[in-house]
Amino acid sequence: MTTICLTGAAGFIGYHTARRLLARGDTVVGLDNLNDYYDVRLKTDRLAQLEDEPRFRFQRLDLADGEAVARLFASERFEVVVHLAAQAGVRYPPKPGVAIQGCGGL
């Protein structure tokens, strides 16, 4: 059994990835900042379908918060990180350095 950190867990692809990982027996810690770029209810509805899964835990976390990310990684022993978090609707690259900072050092 593998312990996996899954970023973007409340998004469409992240949710389905979590389901697939759980189905094969992995433990999943799902991260998402639940921003309101589109209807947050879609995200919370997806997470609600995972909440009864004993091998799934959700952490509301913004990857731009490097200190929070560092605390999480200090307290967990992830074997794998599946990084699917993204800002929906982004059409242009961010300013130099923002992408690196925005990943909290992942």
Side-chain angles (χ1 to χ4, degrees), residues 29-83:
V29 178
L31 311 179
D32 206 293
N33 69 357
L34 300 178
N35 69 43
D36 63 357
Y37 184 82
Y38 64 88
D39 191 348
V40 176
R41 289 177 296 179
L42 292 171
K43 300 172 189 184
T44 56
D45 287 350
R46 290 182 194 117
L47 291 171
Q49 294 179 51
L50 297 170
E51 69 185 4
D52 291 333
E53 182 64 51
R55 288 176 286 102
F56 180 81
R57 294 188 318 277
F58 176 71
Q59 293 273 325
R60 185 172 184 166
L61 185 84
D62 189 333
L63 295 179
D65 183 347
E67 291 179 12
V69 171
R71 284 192 303 274
L72 176 68
F73 275 75
S75 68
E76 298 281 350
R77 298 286 180 218
F78 298 119
E79 298 167 79
V80 174
V81 175
V82 177
H83 184 38

